[in-house]
Amino acid sequence: RNETHKNGFAQRDFTLRYSENNAHFNVGTLHVELSNAAIQTQLIEQAVRTAMVTLFTLLIGSLCVLILFQRLVSRHLHTMADFARDFDVNNLDVKLQLQRPENTEADELDVVEHAINEMQSRLKNELVLRGAVEQELRSHKENLESIVQLRTQELSDAKDVADKANAAKSSFLANMSHEIRTPMNAVLGMLQLVQKTELSVRQQDYILKAQTAAKSLLGLLNDILDFSKIDAGKLQLENHPFDW
C-alpha cells in the first residue's frame, strides 16, 4: 500500500492478492485518487444550497411575521391612530372598538383600548362637571347682578330721599332763620328806642340784658343761615378790612 499527496490530490495504491492453499499471488494493483478541489466544490455547493435554503426560510418567516403583525397589531394601531385623529370633545359617546375576536385573556391591545375608553369617559365626566359648575356660576352671577342692581336702586332711592330731606332741612333752616331774624331785628330796634327814653337804673339794666340776649340770638340765627347756605352751596365770602 502506497499513499502520496501531490498538487492537492490524495493518491493510494492497493496491492491485490489472491490466496489459495496457503499460497499467495499478487493479482495486481488498485490505484485510487481523490481530488481536494472536488471536495471543496461539493462543500461550497452544499454551503450555497444551505445558505439559500436558510435565506429563503428567513424571508418566508419574516413575511409570515410581517403578515401576522399586520393582521394582529398594525391594523389595530392604525385604527387607534384614526380614532385619535378624529377625536371630538363634542361627541364623546363614540367609543374605540377594535375589530378582533374576543380573547379569554386580555392582551396589550385590550389594555390600551380600555385605557383610551376610560380616558374618554373621564374627560366626558369632567366636561359635564365643568358645564354644571359654569352654569351654576352664571346663575350666581345673574343673581348677584340682580342683587347689585336692586341694592343700587335702593341706594339711589335712599340718596334721593336723603337729598330731598337735606334740601327740605336747608330750606326750612333758611326760611326759619330769615323769618325769626326779621322780628328779632324789630325787637332790637325797639330796645334801642326804649333806651332813649327816661328809665330807671333797674330798667336800663333789664333793657341792656335783653338787648345782649337778642344780639346773641341774632348771631345764632345768622350762623344757622350761613350753615344752610354752605349746605346749599350758596355761601359767598365778603372782603372786609380788619385789625390783627
Side-chain angles (χ1 to χ4, degrees):
R1 178 186 297 177
N2 296 323
E3 182 178 350
T4 60
H5 297 276
K6 183 180 181 180
N7 297 330
F9 289 89
Q11 300 179 4
R12 284 187 180 184
D13 295 330
F14 297 92
T15 303
L16 301 178
R17 293 182 178 183
Y18 175 73
S19 298
E20 182 179 359
N21 297 324
N22 294 324
H24 302 285
F25 303 95
N26 291 330
V27 178
T29 300
L30 177 63
H31 181 73
V32 179
E33 292 184 1
L34 180 62
S35 174
N36 291 337
I39 296 176
Q40 292 178 355
T41 302
Q42 291 178 0
L43 291 176
I44 292 173
E45 290 178 355
Q46 185 176 1
V48 170
R49 285 195 300 269
T50 303
M52 291 182 64
V53 171
T54 303
L55 180 61
F56 181 76
T57 303
L58 290 176
L59 290 176
I60 295 298
S62 301
L63 183 60
C64 293
V65 171
L66 182 61
I67 294 174
L68 186 62
F69 181 81
Q70 173 67 25
R71 180 176 179 81
L72 298 179
V73 179
S74 180
R75 64 188 183 95
H76 299 303
L77 295 179
H78 285 295
T79 302
M80 293 179 185
D82 294 337
F83 181 81
R85 184 180 61 253
D86 299 334
F87 186 79
D88 187 7
V89 295
N90 296 321
N91 187 14
L92 296 177
D93 294 329
V94 179
K95 300 294 184 180
L96 174 62
Q97 186 174 3
L98 301 178
Q99 301 297 328
R100 55 200 304 252
E102 296 183 359
N103 298 325
T104 57
E105 295 182 359
D107 56 7
E108 289 77 4
L109 292 176
D110 293 327
V111 173
V112 174
E113 179 183 3
H114 178 72
I116 292 176
N117 291 329
E118 183 68 19
M119 179 191 67
Q120 186 174 352
S121 299
R122 290 183 180 180
L123 179 60
K124 180 180 179 180
N125 294 333
E126 290 292 335
L127 292 177
V128 171
L129 180 60
R130 180 177 296 180
V133 172
E134 291 179 353
Q135 180 64 31
E136 186 175 358
L137 289 177
R138 283 194 296 268
S139 178
H140 284 300
K141 181 180 178 181
E142 293 175 357
N143 294 333
L144 183 61
E145 290 178 352
S146 301
I147 294 174
V148 170
Q149 291 178 357
L150 180 61
R151 294 292 183 269
T152 303
Q153 185 63 36
E154 292 178 353
L155 290 175
S156 179
D157 295 340
K159 182 177 181 298
D160 292 339
V161 172
D163 290 340
K164 291 179 181 179
N166 190 33
K169 179 195 69 175
S170 300
S171 178
F172 171 76
L173 290 175
N175 292 331
M176 182 188 68
S177 300
H178 181 72
E179 295 295 333
I180 296 177
R181 190 173 58 174
T182 299
M184 187 58 63
N185 288 327
V187 171
L188 287 173
M190 292 297 105
L191 290 175
Q192 289 179 357
L193 292 176
V194 172
Q195 282 181 340
K196 294 180 179 181
T197 60
E198 294 181 359
L199 299 174
S200 63
V201 176
R202 179 176 293 180
Q203 289 175 338
Q204 287 286 345
D205 183 58
Y206 289 162
I207 293 298
L208 182 60
K209 290 181 179 178
Q211 189 177 20
T212 302
K215 288 181 179 179
S216 298
L217 182 59
L218 183 62
L220 291 175
L221 292 176
N222 289 331
D223 291 339
I224 293 173
L225 185 61
D226 290 337
F227 282 124
S228 63
K229 288 181 179 179
I230 292 174
D231 196 13
K234 296 180 179 180
L235 181 65
Q236 295 180 354
L237 298 179
E238 296 180 358
N239 186 11
H240 292 288
F242 62 94
D243 295 333
W244 290 86

